[in-house]
Amino acid sequence: MERTGRWRRLSEALLNPRVDDRRLESALASARERAPVPLIWLIGKTQSGKTSIIRALTGSPAAEIGNGFQPCTRTARIYDFPATAPVVRFLDTRGLGEVDYDPEDDIRFGESQAHLLLAVMRACDLDQEVVLGVVRTVRQRHPEWPLVIVQTALHEGYPPDFEHPHPYPFDAEPSPAGLPADLARALRVQRDQAGDLPGRAPVRWVPVDLTLPEDGYAPADYGLEALWKAIDTLSALPLRHLLGRDSEVMDLFEQAAHPHIVGYALAAAGVGALPLVDLAGVPAIQAKMLQSLAALHAQTWDRRTILEFLGLLGTGVGIAYGTRMAGRTLIKLVPYLGQTLGAVWGASASGATTFALGKAAAYYLRRRNLALSTEARALRRVFADQITQGAKLLRESS
Amino acid sequence: MNRIDPWWLVSLLLWLVPFVALLPLGFVWLHQHDAALYWFATIILCGLLGFGVQFWLRRRERAALDLEHTGPDPAWPPSADGAWTQVEELAETLDPADWPLDEEMRLGVLALRTLERVAGHFHPEVETPLLELRVPHALLIIERASRDLRRSITEHVPLSHRLTIGTLARAYRWRGFAERVLSLYRAGHLVLNPVGALLNEALGQLRQRGFAAAREDLYRWLLQEYVRQVGRYAIELYSGRLPLNDAEPVERLTRDSRRDLERAVEIERAPREHLEQEPMRFLVLGRSNAGKSSLINALFGHPRAAVDILPDTTRALTPYRLEHDGLDQALILDSLGAERLSYQTLHDAANVADAILWVSAAHRPDRQSERRTLQALRTALAARIDRRPPPVLVVVTHIDQLRPLREWRPPYDLTDTTCLKAMSIQAAVAALATDLDVPIAHVIPVCLAEGRFYNVEDTLWAALLEQMDRAQRARLLRCQVAQRRQENWTLLRRQLANAGRFLLAWPGRSSRHSAPP
């Protein structure tokens, strides 16, 4: 009876026009505690392009971009991405060197939270002692933190009418002859200024030029690929994979939906690892996820749609869903061994089912957007496939 | 009186009778036509109107006098401000009744009192500050005051070039006789035409009162001017600003500028010209790579200073000679990045500058260090009471790097709200003015990138020339400070040398040598 009970509970949570916010909140909070989301700390002078980097990495327009001549990020700010169930978090501190700003508190805060340090410098601004000073201190105290130094605003070193060089030449060593001499020298001087930075973890230098489309440089996110590569090779987080920025993911909707699904799956996994708490938390998280996915696809998520979606998934999936949930909950009740085993199983199971549920919903919503009917069998296959995918992803990211 | 023949008088009266009779006859006629009252009313009305017009004229004159008065010299150091306040205070409290013109010594006392006030301000530590005057300076002040008096008399007193002292004396002697004749005329008038004479007398009194008031105003103004003039010279004197040689201080090179000019010539490898006048000194400050050297090249119109994307192309301070329309002779001093200059170097350089050009890049908003440096500099300059701080202009460079990045179609009208680039530039200028705490009118956006020169020749130069007055004043005070230091030493040296020669030529000395006992 337990399995259908879970299924019914999910249906109830879904059909309830509003998920119980309080319950969801506590569930997400406990999930965050269990599985802390990776936090990337960006430091650099004011208007060096920190927020532009966040925006380019996440594709989120929520990160407000400055005008280039005035500090824009007024307080240290954490960007959760996606906002409700974050996959990754960025700590954007106020720009160093800003008038009337003492960065001491922000630095202390960043040190207590971060997992990866991203230093940002305008390529042609050769007065970077402040930034390098902070980097040196932080690396001394946290030698294990990977460091990526991003050199931004390359176009400032271009002669007039010069276009971004293609292919991206900055990986090559020494840099090829086609580069503007001033820019090449400025990049080199910044590295020389940094010298040998303390710390064990490797340091990567990545020149990028993140402009706005209307600025007239194509592409607007020049060098982003190299930045992805640097982050992925340096850190333990398969960030690009988590954010769904794979080249394989072509569909815009899927690109946007993926980090949401991963975020909720991670949250569900986090909650699932706690004995008994998950009983209440996981369906709430899943309901919330389906709601936001519908919102992403610009569709009304009303009773009829939900009933149709659940009907298509069918009782078969319902039973599978139920047993997984019930099984791990029971296991967790076994003393000692059960605690650990159950936690692992529960974590991966509720995470994986959430992931699969999200992917199936995304598939269903996409079909609906295209005004196509969805076959029950296809949907179930998506669900089944994505359970394995989800389990794999969660194993990788944990 | 007894020399006049009575028959002559009779014949004179006979001539006058018909005319004199007109007045009573007219009065009779008025009476017959019942118009006498109207006539009286007209007289009173006209009298009152005349008085009103006089009153208005007097107010206007007083306003004109108030406008026309000696003020403090803008080139004075701030330390003279207090002394001037004292002089003004004395001038304001003057009562003309206390200082009658005909007592000649009173004016001397007033001058002495003014001098004492000023001297007391500058030498509060001594009991009789008036005696702090050095002898050559006292002679100099007499010379100058006489010169000024001569000038104002020749310029303002009509026919003064024909006037001899003898004429003045004779005019004074005849004054008594003229007054006696006038009172005789008035007495005669009263006898012959009592009504008309009475009215005349009344009107005359009225007029005189008006004029007396106007005269008192004028006299008060004269006294105040007198005190102010004396005060002005006294301040010049006691603040030690008066150099003993006649030349204006800026007409001679200071040691700093001589050294810098020599270096500039050396840097430019130009033929050496002899320069006598003190040049205007512009100091270019700013962070590394803000565009200081580019600015200098732009001001010259051709490359002079080395420009590179890497910092440190400039030695601590590099002087260049600058010539431009509207600017006689100038030295422009390029500097290292402000963050690399030691505080002492920065301070010394600013101390011998007449204007400061602060260069800041529009697209580098991390201005904390700039703000701090500029603030420290301002505080230090303001603390010097013997100098006026040089004017500071902020030059905003790299405006071509503002959004939209690739657009560059000058000229830009910064008030145009439809042009994105112009709006960016305007906003950057405003942000810089706030960050560096300077008035927005002193923030000039320019572009110095190669082939994109913009706003230098017109706007920046215009702004620079507009600051020229303040810069001239800064230069004057700077030269005075430098020259006083130099003068004290040269004078002492010359006096000692002359005294030595004098002793050598002492008659008794040689005889004693030649004829030992």
Side-chain angles (χ1 to χ4, degrees):
Chain A
M1 233 40 253
E2 176 64 31
R3 50 195 180 181
T4 33
R6 304 248 113 260
W7 183 241
R8 201 179 306 123
R9 202 190 282 262
L10 174 64
S11 323
E12 269 166 30
L14 282 176
L15 291 169
N16 210 359
R18 279 168 51 90
V19 180
D20 184 349
D21 281 341
R22 203 166 35 82
R23 192 197 284 173
L24 180 72
E25 211 42 60
S26 74
L28 287 175
S30 62
R32 238 168 251 161
E33 250 166 59
R34 296 291 299 189
V37 173
L39 188 129
I40 299 180
W41 178 19
L42 293 103
I43 54 165
K45 294 214 282 193
T46 172
Q47 285 293 307
S48 53
K50 299 183 290 298
T51 316
S52 299
I53 290 176
I54 297 176
R55 201 165 75 155
L57 290 181
T58 60
S60 155
E64 193 191 336
I65 308 293
N67 50 17
F69 53 81
Q70 219 171 3
C72 149
T73 307
R74 282 281 162 211
T75 46
R77 181 173 161 188
I78 290 185
Y79 289 96
D80 283 346
F81 189 81
T84 39
V87 176
V88 60
R89 314 176 82 194
F90 294 96
L91 172 63
D92 190 5
T93 36
R94 264 177 80 168
L96 300 171
E98 214 174 281
V99 171
D100 293 334
Y101 164 63
D102 178 14
E104 208 41 59
D105 289 344
D106 283 351
I107 289 172
R108 214 170 301 125
F109 177 70
E111 272 198 74
S112 67
Q113 304 274 324
H115 301 98
L116 169 76
L117 190 59
L118 210 86
V120 188
M121 303 175 178
R122 272 180 184 245
C124 292
D125 184 357
L126 299 178
D127 178 22
Q128 296 291 353
E129 247 343 282
V130 208
V131 182
L132 290 171
V134 177
V135 169
R136 283 192 196 108
T137 345
V138 171
R139 289 269 294 187
Q140 240 151 27
R141 279 182 255 179
H142 305 272
E144 74 289 356
W145 279 5
L147 170 66
V148 180
I149 300 179
V150 189
Q151 294 168 300
T152 58
L154 303 179
H155 59 261
E156 282 173 12
Y158 290 175
D161 299 323
F162 187 84
E163 296 291 339
H164 285 318
H166 292 286
Y168 183 80
F170 301 98
D171 290 335
E173 194 65 43
S175 46
L179 285 179
D182 277 352
L183 176 65
R185 285 165 69 208
L187 293 174
R188 164 69 39 210
V189 168
Q190 277 190 342
R191 289 188 198 206
D192 292 349
Q193 276 175 352
D196 284 330
L197 292 166
R200 287 194 304 275
V203 181
R204 285 286 295 269
W205 291 76
V206 189
V208 301
D209 198 358
L210 309 172
T211 51
L212 297 177
E214 60 266 32
D215 290 333
Y217 287 100
D221 53 358
Y222 182 71
L224 189 63
E225 186 63 24
L227 180 58
W228 277 122
K229 228 188 284 173
I231 293 176
D232 282 352
T233 52
L234 269 194
S235 64
L237 13 141
L239 185 61
R240 180 154 45 162
H241 192 51
L242 289 182
L243 289 177
R245 300 269 138 193
D246 270 322
S247 45
E248 295 153 32
V249 184
M250 299 306 286
D251 180 60
L252 201 65
F253 279 119
E254 203 183 337
Q255 251 184 40
H258 181 86
H260 282 261
I261 299 172
V262 176
Y264 284 107
L266 283 173
V271 176
L274 294 171
L276 293 173
V277 179
D278 62 309
L279 295 179
V282 173
I285 289 173
Q286 289 167 341
K288 182 72 194 162
M289 171 184 70
L290 295 180
Q291 270 180 10
S292 36
L293 284 179
L296 261 178
H297 286 78
Q299 293 199 14
T300 48
W301 192 241
D302 56 9
R303 199 181 172 79
R304 238 193 64 216
T305 328
I306 294 167
L307 282 177
E308 189 189 34
F309 173 64
L310 290 178
L312 283 170
L313 266 183
T315 35
V317 172
I319 289 164
Y321 176 90
T323 32
R324 276 164 194 276
M325 296 290 258
R328 71 180 155 85
T329 312
L330 288 176
I331 272 191
K332 265 185 281 179
L333 296 176
V334 177
Y336 305 114
L337 187 64
Q339 295 276 314
T340 333
L341 262 182
V344 173
W345 187 24
S348 66
S350 42
T353 35
T354 308
F355 184 81
L357 196 63
K359 282 288 176 186
Y363 172 79
Y364 166 77
L365 290 164
R366 201 159 65 246
R367 301 273 303 174
R368 258 176 72 101
N369 254 3
L370 300 169
L372 299 171
S373 63
T374 311
E375 267 186 72
R377 220 167 344 132
L379 192 67
R380 279 178 214 149
R381 204 173 50 242
V382 170
F383 184 85
D385 284 353
Q386 294 299 335
I387 279 204
T388 11
Q389 280 289 321
K392 203 174 120 215
L393 182 84
L394 290 170
R395 263 203 307 281
E396 275 172 7
S397 66
S398 57
Chain B
M1 195 62 76
N2 48 7
R3 267 189 293 170
I4 297 170
D5 196 325
W7 288 109
W8 272 107
L9 207 64
V10 169
S11 70
L12 207 69
L13 282 175
L14 280 176
W15 277 350
L16 282 174
V17 162
F19 298 102
V20 173
L22 266 181
L23 199 77
L25 286 177
F27 204 69
V28 170
W29 184 86
L30 283 173
H31 185 69
Q32 278 173 353
H33 287 80
D34 290 332
L37 274 177
Y38 295 109
W39 183 72
F40 271 118
T42 316
I43 285 183
I44 289 165
L45 191 70
C46 286
L48 286 177
L49 269 178
F51 194 74
V53 170
Q54 267 185 9
F55 184 74
W56 170 70
L57 281 172
R58 188 184 151 203
R59 279 216 359 216
R60 205 180 57 170
E61 258 167 35
R62 193 188 290 171
L65 285 179
D66 282 347
L67 280 181
E68 188 68 32
H69 75 59
T70 312
D73 190 337
W76 278 344
S79 56
D81 290 349
W84 183 254
T85 325
Q86 296 222 8
V87 170
E88 279 284 2
E89 201 185 322
L90 179 64
E92 287 304 323
T93 51
L94 276 185
D95 184 1
D98 294 345
W99 307 97
L101 249 187
D102 35 11
E103 284 178 43
E104 287 150 39
M105 286 318 286
R106 294 291 286 162
L107 280 184
V109 173
L110 183 59
L112 204 65
R113 201 170 285 181
T114 316
L115 278 171
E116 264 170 356
R117 275 203 171 209
V118 174
H121 175 80
F122 284 104
H123 302 281
E125 70 287 352
V126 289
E127 203 176 328
T128 45
L130 212 55
L131 301 183
E132 288 305 296
L133 191 59
R134 295 183 192 100
V135 176
H137 280 128
L139 291 172
L140 185 70
I141 209 89
I142 293 169
E143 187 188 314
R144 293 241 170 137
S146 305
R147 191 185 61 196
D148 280 9
L149 194 62
R150 169 175 57 80
R151 271 193 204 143
S152 57
I153 286 182
T154 6
E155 277 167 28
H156 300 299
V157 180
L159 291 176
S160 57
H161 58 294
R162 307 284 300 274
L163 201 67
T164 63
I165 296 191
T167 323
L168 280 177
R170 268 195 299 280
Y172 191 79
R173 232 185 295 141
W174 277 96
R175 202 181 58 174
F177 178 68
E179 267 172 13
R180 257 178 293 153
V181 172
L182 187 69
S183 38
L184 183 69
Y185 160 75
R186 275 158 64 183
H189 205 203
L190 189 67
V191 172
L192 292 172
N193 180 5
V195 182
L198 272 176
L199 281 172
N200 238 354
E201 265 317 279
L203 275 177
Q205 283 296 325
L206 210 61
R207 261 199 306 269
Q208 219 172 30
R209 191 153 306 163
F211 283 129
R215 208 179 54 188
E216 197 186 298
D217 277 350
L218 184 68
Y219 186 48
R220 184 196 299 276
W221 176 77
L222 270 172
L223 278 180
Q224 288 181 345
E225 270 304 280
Y226 178 67
V227 167
R228 286 191 187 113
Q229 284 280 4
V230 172
R232 217 177 133 110
Y233 275 114
I235 289 173
E236 298 252 318
L237 192 65
Y238 285 98
S239 64
R241 273 171 33 93
L242 275 186
L244 284 177
N245 50 7
D246 263 342
E248 286 291 312
V250 293
E251 280 168 10
R252 279 171 47 187
L253 267 176
T254 59
R255 236 186 4 222
D256 285 324
S257 296
R258 188 179 300 281
R259 189 198 56 219
D260 285 340
L261 274 171
E262 275 163 12
R263 277 193 55 204
V265 165
E266 187 187 305
I267 287 163
E268 294 158 24
R269 292 189 193 81
R272 225 204 112 106
E273 281 170 46
H274 204 55
L275 244 188
E276 272 312 316
Q277 226 195 21
E278 171 68 12
M280 192 73 85
R281 295 170 65 101
F282 294 100
L283 177 61
V284 179
L285 288 175
R287 275 194 300 176
S288 300
N289 284 102
K292 295 182 293 299
S293 298
S294 302
L295 174 70
I296 286 175
N297 290 343
L299 287 175
F300 279 103
H302 58 92
R304 282 265 175 108
V307 172
D308 195 41
I309 192 160
L310 305 188
D312 291 345
T313 48
T314 311
R315 285 190 292 168
L317 278 180
T318 316
Y320 299 93
R321 289 182 310 158
L322 178 62
E323 273 144 26
H324 192 270
D325 297 339
L327 192 71
D328 10 326
Q329 174 70 294
L331 265 177
I332 192 154
L333 295 138
D334 195 3
S335 66
L336 261 178
E339 74 279 2
R340 286 180 169 76
L341 281 179
S342 73
Y343 178 72
Q344 198 52 45
T345 321
L346 186 76
H347 191 196
D348 288 350
N351 246 335
V352 290
D354 304 321
I356 294 176
L357 290 170
W358 187 276
V359 185
S360 189
H363 64 318
R364 300 251 184 282
D366 49 317
R367 301 196 182 101
Q368 176 115 305
S369 65
E370 281 183 73
R371 161 84 165 240
R372 231 180 269 145
T373 314
L374 200 52
Q375 209 67 43
L377 203 57
R378 271 195 211 128
T379 321
L381 286 174
R384 288 200 58 170
I385 55 162
D386 58 340
R387 284 210 55 191
R388 298 250 169 225
V392 178
L393 270 188
V394 175
V395 182
V396 188
T397 55
H398 292 106
I399 53 169
D400 56 330
Q401 305 268 13
L402 295 173
R403 293 226 129 88
L405 300 178
R406 303 197 88 177
E407 186 201 308
W408 185 248
R409 282 194 302 272
Y412 288 107
D413 171 13
L414 297 193
T415 54
D416 183 2
T417 48
T418 55
C419 172
L420 284 176
K421 192 82 167 191
M423 279 166 69
S424 290
I425 296 174
Q426 178 61 27
V429 164
L432 246 153
T434 322
D435 282 354
L436 299 186
D437 197 15
V438 284
I440 201 160
H442 292 179
V443 183
I444 318 287
V446 298
C447 183
L448 307 171
E450 228 179 305
R452 288 183 165 189
F453 276 17
Y454 173 58
N455 237 4
V456 176
E457 194 52 42
D458 33 21
T459 316
L460 180 59
W461 266 114
L464 255 180
L465 294 176
E466 206 171 275
Q467 294 299 319
M468 224 27 85
D469 265 1
R470 285 178 64 198
Q472 304 263 25
R473 258 177 262 149
R475 173 175 69 157
L476 187 65
L477 285 178
R478 171 171 65 75
C479 291
Q480 272 165 353
V481 171
Q483 242 147 57
R484 203 162 49 234
R485 215 178 301 135
Q486 226 167 319
E487 192 180 75
N488 283 344
W489 284 110
T490 19
L491 276 184
L492 191 63
R493 215 178 308 127
R494 203 190 306 153
Q495 283 160 358
L496 283 178
N498 286 346
R501 233 172 282 143
F502 183 68
L503 281 180
L504 275 177
W506 194 257
R509 190 178 176 279
S510 49
S511 62
R512 236 179 308 169
H513 266 269
S514 56

